[in-house]
Amino acid sequence: MANVDAQFQLVTFQLGEELYGVNIMDVKEIVRLQDVRVIPNAPYYVEGIINLRGDIIPIIDLHKRFRIQSLPKDETDFEGGFIILNIENNKIGIIIDKVARVVSVKGEDVKEPPQMISGIGSEYIEGVIREDNKYLIMLNIRKLFNPKELQKIIDIQ
């Protein structure tokens, strides 16, 4: 859980109907959608790889990982994209439906996650922040994959 006295920034994005955020310090960059090269025998939630300025980056589909419906394309004014994360010194991209904005959050505003939110287990959630009559779900990127899964993803590169 976040330090109560701390203030930090989250990059927020939409997956399906929910708003999620990841610590800005874990984000390398946000890029527009591009063609993803499919990798045979990859885990079901690995969409494939992209070549981003010479770096081969595995792309993870959190919709598949969390069993979330994507937003219909006509409802988004931004066609989605990838957030490139730094997980244990490895670049991994996640597919997003819509980038939202960067928000500043006070540690005291982060609440414990309920046991289950939209099919996502609480083990993946750092906390929940109430914002404008909605909830912002703060993901813990270090717990999205167990060590064995992370190694499989890294080996794809």
Side-chain angles (χ1 to χ4, degrees):
M1 185 59 76
N3 182 345
V4 174
D5 296 327
Q7 184 161 340
F8 52 93
Q9 293 184 310
L10 296 175
V11 174
T12 63
F13 56 92
Q14 198 163 347
L15 279 180
E17 298 295 324
E18 300 291 341
L19 189 63
Y20 296 87
V22 292
N23 192 310
I24 197 168
M25 301 305 289
D26 295 324
V27 176
K28 298 299 279 177
E29 61 187 302
I30 300 170
V31 296
R32 292 211 175 262
L33 278 179
Q34 54 186 279
D35 288 333
V36 176
R37 183 169 170 231
V38 176
I39 301 297
N41 300 318
Y44 73 95
Y45 51 83
V46 175
E47 199 68 16
I49 57 172
I50 62 170
N51 183 333
L52 186 63
R53 293 182 298 281
D55 287 335
I56 303 300
I57 300 174
I59 301 297
I60 306 302
D61 189 340
L62 291 182
H63 299 92
K64 291 178 182 176
R65 178 79 172 166
F66 297 148
R67 294 173 182 84
I68 297 173
Q69 288 281 63
S70 298
L71 281 178
K73 294 299 178 204
D74 60 330
E75 287 185 19
T76 61
D77 55 346
F78 176 78
E79 292 185 14
F82 308 120
I83 293 181
I84 308 302
L85 300 170
N86 183 12
I87 302 177
E88 298 190 18
N89 295 320
N90 295 288
K91 291 180 184 175
I92 296 177
I94 58 172
I95 298 172
I96 60 171
D97 287 330
K98 187 177 182 181
V99 69
R101 58 194 168 109
V102 174
V103 296
S104 291
V105 176
K106 294 177 187 169
E108 64 195 37
D109 294 337
V110 179
K111 306 299 181 209
E112 288 286 330
Q115 289 300 342
M116 192 64 81
I117 297 179
S118 299
I120 298 177
S122 60
E123 68 269 22
Y124 305 123
I125 301 172
E126 184 88 21
V128 177
I129 300 126
R130 187 169 174 85
E131 182 183 82
D132 301 330
N133 297 327
K134 293 184 183 178
Y135 289 96
L136 169 59
I137 302 166
M138 191 170 130
L139 293 177
N140 183 337
I141 66 163
R142 281 156 192 78
K143 291 188 179 176
L144 286 180
F145 312 102
N146 67 41
K148 187 175 179 181
E149 290 173 318
L150 187 57
Q151 191 58 52
K152 272 187 181 177
I153 294 167
I154 293 166
D155 288 346
I156 289 172
Q157 300 178 33

